Amino acid sequence: MDNQHRPTDPPPLSGITVVAVEQAVSAPFATRQLADLGARVIKIERPDGGDFARGYDTAAGGLASHFVWANRGKESIAVDLKHPQGLEIVRRLIAEADVFVQNLAQGSAARLGLDAASLCANHPRLIAVDISGYGAHGPYAHKRAYDMLVQCEAGLTSVTGTPEQPAKAGIPAADIAAAMYAYSGVLAALVRRGVTGRGGPVEISMLDSLAEWMGHPLHLTMHGGTPPRRTGVAHAVIAPYDAFDTADGGQVLLSVQNDREWRRLADQVLEQGELSYDPRFATNTARTENRKETDEAVGRVLLQLSADEAIERLESAGIACARLNGVAELATHPQLTARDRWREIDSPVGPLRALLPPITLPGGAQARMGAIPALGEHTNELLHALGMTDARISTLRQKGVVS
């Protein structure tokens, strides 16, 4: 049967159930990836406000932008884990799950008996993921670990910013790094379980994850002895590789990767072919040593062109380039529109725009971009599935065990 006419394949994680005691970004973003691939994700939230990311802002029609981004496609049950009956409800949900994910403060899950080692000892097929800031052992194990703090500890801020001022990344890089390693760790563990029949613990730390992403500056420093300089949007060891102003107030970034490209830039874009062999510019080493003069030569020409004219001239010469877009420009980016990357997802405040996940799968399988849950929206449904009567659920509500 040809691909065009065969039935759509089910999402690859259909039939997999994930229970998550999660908050903020690292664990929620990891489990959202699993939900997009078809897993059923049951999100455990506190009755008194739920995941605290729900309160970060009200930008998405009254919902928090972080929460909207990281929590579509999940079921929310509001349970007090500090109450023995609430903890028992969560234990029963985990007993029927394939995967458990938690990113509570270090030590909190162990005190509740919800750490990966304890759960996997009782449920051999369970894959249990502990996400922490710095790992379970060592002098930093119990330090508070918010994203920006880990960016600082991992040295990301030392290589981000201008020569005068370090800066954090504009996105929660440590959280996202941990989320993506948790996500890929779960997928690897599911493959292993398919072979061996056994689950097991998966440990992820934000510091470990971001340290891996620091690979280039880390190896440059360890093996070369000199940490890379902060250079704004310029490249530390390639020139010209920077953003340049244009006549209409825009900015265009260009990148010359080798000396052949420099000669094309000088001849076809700058229209100053004599710069091709000027000893100050003829090699990347020379251009980097003479970065100021190199950038001035490029900048003088681009400042006479509009952004559109600069892009057209650079692309005609085969020089890599980009516009320095803002976030608003990303939301209307013509490439995302042309490739039909936008969808609408349901939420308690109505439909909201969201991007398709970056993974495109063969066989017609579609990402399951489910609704963003209201706090405790699925509490009754999940408790009924555990065999509880309405009267029993009402009693639990009166005691504050669920909401």
Side-chain angles (χ1 to χ4, degrees):
M1 183 182 295
D2 102 33
N3 280 344
Q4 256 187 329
H5 298 98
R6 75 181 189 180
T8 299
D9 292 340
L13 295 186
S14 293
I16 297 295
T17 297
V18 180
V19 173
V21 178
E22 58 179 20
Q23 55 198 354
V25 175
S26 58
F29 191 50
T31 60
R32 196 215 80 188
Q33 315 300 316
L34 301 173
D36 284 344
L37 290 180
R40 181 189 190 192
V41 178
I42 299 170
K43 182 180 180 75
I44 311 297
E45 300 193 68
R46 301 189 320 273
D48 57 339
D51 181 341
F52 55 72
R54 286 183 180 274
Y56 280 170
D57 59 60
T58 57
L63 302 180
S65 50
H66 273 87
F67 193 85
V68 166
W69 167 50
N71 287 282
R72 66 173 176 245
K74 302 180 184 180
E75 300 171 40
S76 170
I77 177 171
V79 180
D80 183 359
L81 287 173
K82 295 179 181 177
H83 195 289
Q85 290 176 299
L87 185 57
E88 179 57 26
I89 288 169
V90 173
R91 288 182 183 280
R92 290 178 63 184
L93 291 170
I94 293 170
E96 299 179 5
D98 299 281
V99 179
F100 175 70
V101 180
Q102 68 85 18
N103 69 328
L104 298 173
Q106 184 63 37
S108 297
R111 286 192 293 274
L112 295 168
L114 298 180
D115 58 293
S118 299
L119 290 173
C120 290
N122 293 324
H123 306 288
R125 286 183 55 81
L126 180 70
I127 295 159
V129 184
D130 287 340
I131 302 175
S132 65
Y134 297 104
H137 307 290
Y140 279 54
H142 291 278
K143 280 179 69 73
R144 287 183 177 271
Y146 301 131
D147 175 82
M148 188 170 69
L149 306 179
V150 179
Q151 288 193 35
C152 291
E153 291 285 354
L156 179 57
T157 52
S158 77
V159 297
T160 306
T162 65
E164 299 76 26
Q165 182 65 43
K168 72 179 183 69
I171 59 173
D175 280 325
I176 295 170
M180 297 313 291
Y181 284 116
Y183 165 51
S184 57
V186 168
L187 297 182
L190 285 168
V191 171
R192 182 187 61 190
R193 193 183 73 171
V195 174
T196 68
R198 298 189 304 274
V202 175
E203 182 184 357
I204 305 291
S205 100
M206 293 165 67
L207 180 64
D208 292 349
S209 301
L210 198 55
E212 171 66 22
W213 283 16
M214 286 290 289
H216 167 251
L218 180 61
H219 283 272
L220 184 69
T221 302
M222 289 191 302
H223 304 305
T226 304
R229 295 174 299 159
R230 291 189 301 274
T231 54
V233 295
H235 197 286
V237 296
I238 301 174
Y241 194 147
D242 206 343
F244 297 90
D245 294 332
T246 56
D248 54 358
Q251 282 190 303
V252 170
L253 188 139
L254 65 88
S255 168
V256 167
Q257 293 286 310
N258 55 58
D259 299 336
R260 294 187 308 279
E261 290 185 3
W262 167 253
R263 291 193 288 272
R264 292 205 305 272
L265 179 78
D267 186 44
Q268 300 176 40
V269 178
L270 306 184
E271 298 178 340
Q272 298 174 55
E274 68 275 10
L275 297 181
S276 296
Y277 300 100
D278 187 313
R280 295 172 298 166
F281 311 126
T283 67
N284 183 64
T285 299
R287 291 191 298 275
T288 303
E289 290 173 351
N290 297 286
R291 184 185 297 273
K292 184 173 184 293
E293 293 89 342
T294 302
D295 288 350
E296 285 175 349
V298 175
R300 278 194 299 271
V301 173
L302 296 192
L303 195 54
Q304 300 171 38
L305 306 173
S306 69
D308 285 345
E309 290 168 338
I311 291 286
E312 182 179 358
R313 192 178 290 192
L314 288 162
E315 289 183 341
S316 295
I319 304 299
C321 58
R323 301 172 188 274
L324 262 71
N325 285 333
V327 181
E329 286 77 26
L330 174 62
T332 57
H333 200 291
Q335 184 69 1
L336 296 175
T337 301
R339 296 183 62 239
D340 193 27
R341 301 305 296 172
W342 292 101
R343 296 292 183 272
E344 283 195 341
I345 57 174
D346 290 332
S347 82
V349 297
L352 294 170
R353 286 178 81 209
L355 279 168
L356 278 169
I359 298 172
T360 300
L361 295 168
Q366 298 293 311
R368 188 177 63 80
M369 299 175 67
I372 298 155
L375 174 59
E377 179 179 344
H378 304 91
T379 299
N380 276 15
E381 175 186 335
L382 288 165
L383 294 180
H384 282 141
L386 292 177
M388 296 187 187
T389 63
D390 287 338
R392 175 65 175 149
I393 295 170
S394 178
T395 300
L396 291 174
R397 286 187 187 280
Q398 290 168 14
K399 291 180 178 179
V401 177
V402 300
S403 72

